Amino acid sequence: PARRLEVFYARDYRSLLDMQSYGHDIEASWLMWDAVECMIPENEREPYKAMCLTLAESVYERAWTDHGLKNEMVDGEIDELRIWWVQAEAVVGFVHQWQKTGEAVYAQAAADTFRFILEHLWDKRPGGEWFWCVDEQGVPTPDKPIVEPWKCPYHNGRMCLEIINRS
């Protein structure tokens, strides 16, 4: 089994390209479980729990490093950029995985990703937000704005609320 989500589909639900979006996979691993808890009776949740845990485990194996989560892989080529929202979702996803499994490796992955955010993605200038992305060494990419239609504080704000709620 693929142990990942597909991203873009044709009308007949055939995948349009070989793309692995690590951020979407880790985000889905905890958001799907939230939906399950709201909609599925407790005695029927086990298959969904296994699916969510497998998805997060697969992201950890494929894309996590101690300097953040890789962005994606398209046609076998890995994009090593550390995108702001992918890192935010990694923190929540790995905390969720740790809470469901008790495996300390996921708590460490969340902590290491948060450390990477504080050291490299957080724009420390007065009034700063998070950089759009940094390279794998933590250097901000110069061609990306701090805010624009696809970049706002949604994922990082939600990360903070989720972690507070889970504490």
Side-chain angles (χ1 to χ4, degrees), residues 28-30 32-37 40-57 96-102:
S29 75
W30 71 269
M32 287 189 307
W33 184 251
D34 276 5
V36 166
E37 287 187 319
I40 307 292
E42 194 167 343
N43 64 335
E44 298 175 21
R45 293 179 185 169
E46 198 56 39
Y48 303 99
K49 181 178 180 182
M51 179 178 58
C52 293
L53 296 178
T54 297
L55 190 55
E57 176 185 61
H96 179 263
Q97 185 78 349
W98 166 67
Q99 289 176 322
K100 293 296 175 205
T101 67

Side-chain angles (χ1 to χ4, degrees), residues 21-38:
S21 175
Y22 307 126
H24 286 107
D25 284 0
I26 196 68
E27 179 183 28
S29 75
W30 71 269
L31 277 176
M32 287 189 307
W33 184 251
D34 276 5
V36 166
E37 287 187 319
C38 291

Side-chain angles (χ1 to χ4, degrees), residues 9-150:
Y9 296 90
R11 289 181 192 259
D12 64 357
Y13 297 105
R14 182 181 34 84
S15 184
L16 291 174
L17 78 148
D18 179 20
M19 179 180 189
Q20 298 180 36
S21 175
Y22 307 126
H24 286 107
D25 284 0
I26 196 68
E27 179 183 28
S29 75
W30 71 269
L31 277 176
M32 287 189 307
W33 184 251
D34 276 5
V36 166
E37 287 187 319
C38 291
M39 299 170 52
I40 307 292
E42 194 167 343
N43 64 335
E44 298 175 21
R45 293 179 185 169
E46 198 56 39
Y48 303 99
K49 181 178 180 182
M51 179 178 58
C52 293
L53 296 178
T54 297
L55 190 55
E57 176 185 61
S58 177
V59 171
Y60 179 82
E61 293 168 358
R62 291 179 290 138
W64 186 80
T65 73
D66 64 355
H67 52 281
L69 198 66
K70 298 171 189 176
N71 181 33
E72 64 191 14
M73 181 167 57
V74 178
D75 294 329
E77 295 291 321
I78 296 177
D79 177 356
E80 298 281 351
L81 289 175
R82 301 321 193 251
I83 310 295
W84 68 280
W85 74 268
V86 174
Q87 306 317 307
E89 294 301 339
V91 171
V92 178
F94 291 136
V95 165
H96 179 263
Q97 185 78 349
W98 166 67
Q99 289 176 322
K100 293 296 175 205
T101 67
E103 295 178 33
V105 66
Y106 297 113
Q108 190 63 55
D112 288 347
T113 303
F114 190 66
R115 177 188 41 77
F116 182 82
I117 289 167
L118 292 177
E119 290 175 4
H120 301 289
L121 269 173
W122 174 31
D123 180 357
K124 295 171 187 69
R125 295 175 296 184
E129 214 257 331
W130 288 15
F131 294 111
W132 175 282
C133 61
V134 297
D135 65 21
E136 56 193 301
Q137 283 76 42
V139 177
T141 55
D143 60 336
K144 296 286 190 185
I146 297 297
V147 176
E148 55 111 64
W150 284 101

